[in-house]
Amino acid sequence: METTVPARKKITFSGIQPTGVFTLGNYLGAVKNWGPLQDEYRCIYSIVDLHAITVRQDAKALREQALRCYALVMAAGIDPEKSILFYQSHVPAHAELSWALGCHTQFGELSRMTQFKDKSAKHADNINAGLFTYPVLMAADILLYQTDLVPVGDDQKQHVELARDIAGRFNGVYGKTFVVPEPYIAKAGARIKSLTDPTVKMSKSDPNPNSFITILDPPETILKKCKRAVTDSDMQVRYGEGKDGINNLMTIYSVITGKAFDAIEAEFEGKGYGDFKTAVGEAVAEELRPVQEKFRQLMEAPDYLKECYTRGAEQAAALAERTLAKVYKKLGFVAKG
Ligand code: TYM
């Protein structure tokens, strides 16, 4: 009798830092894309709290934000029955593999990371070693789960490429140990820009709260922020060069409504920016309404959340420890008795 081995479901891994409430950029560039992968892939998602401490945090605020972040990711469509959703600090293998991979990563490679350069310019008084080795920990996150696909926004592409380089190098020296992962970057929405300076990405660490929309902003705040968004003096809703502000709003509107740019241009032909900005604000508020509602329900069920993240960590640890044991063996460590 012929026996068929079922094909292994491909694995997706991604993470989000629990620093502040996440923004429309995090949502459109990454988290919104995680849910639809749940049926086709074995999805593993993490609230990456170890990454968050490369910048000084207030312990109480971090703990609260991390709980909210977990509930928000669930509210945005991650079902803990279908995906593994866990806190990075609950699975020690992340820090352990990070050390082993760090010994296979060059100083020069880490020095070239643009996020390190940006962050060390922003936090000149705290250029700590963790900030420098952050991409190694991220590589460990990804490689521990034999990940095939990493859905991220455009700003994380360089880090995923480094993870690929580290995996390839390790496999070259020790024999096939890791799957070499592919970045998965949405065609639209992978780089949502600041509303007040559309030449830079929308970021929750921006000191100007009008520059970003958070997932929990009430509808009137969303509308106000969209109306105030920086545009240009051309007064035509048209995608093009020198129109960063309008390009950004069109991208947001397009990702949410599914309308193509030419359809949006036709919709607002002869209308002013005011009408367009109102439409964008309303579309965003409508998109976020069910997420906010689900979030509020989840925050009223702390025992359920705890049950979910406890189970998530157990499931993640079981997979992670398998890879770590393989790595330790290849490196020549004596096996535990
Ligand atoms: P973080 O927490 O900064 O952001 C989470 C996700 O949101 C995306 N993103 C954006 N996408 C579009 N437009 C924007 N303005 C925008 N801002 C953020 C990010 O690209 C990211 O996908 N290092 C990662 C977290 C991480 C991770 C990992 C990701 C740690 N380990 C392993 C994937 C795999 C970070 O700081 O993301």
Side-chain angles (χ1 to χ4, degrees), residues 214-252:
T214 84
I215 298 303
L216 293 179
D217 276 348
E220 52 285 6
T221 307
I222 296 174
L223 216 57
K224 198 172 72 197
K225 287 179 178 176
C226 285
K227 282 189 176 159
R228 282 194 188 155
V230 167
T231 46
D232 53 64
S233 54
D234 173 43
M235 299 313 280
Q236 283 186 58
V237 178
R238 177 173 62 76
Y239 197 93
E241 218 170 295
K243 293 176 67 71
D244 294 329
I246 286 294
N247 294 348
N248 190 37
L249 293 176
M250 282 180 74
T251 301
I252 294 171

Side-chain angles (χ1 to χ4, degrees), residues 91-125:
V91 179
H94 288 251
E96 293 170 298
L97 183 64
S98 179
W99 174 255
L101 296 183
C103 297
H104 296 80
T105 308
Q106 298 304 304
F107 182 87
E109 287 179 299
L110 293 177
S111 311
R112 283 193 290 276
M113 294 292 116
T114 46
Q115 201 162 72
F116 170 69
K117 289 190 234 169
D118 290 352
K119 283 209 175 169
S120 42
K122 241 192 231 165
H123 303 276
D125 56 337

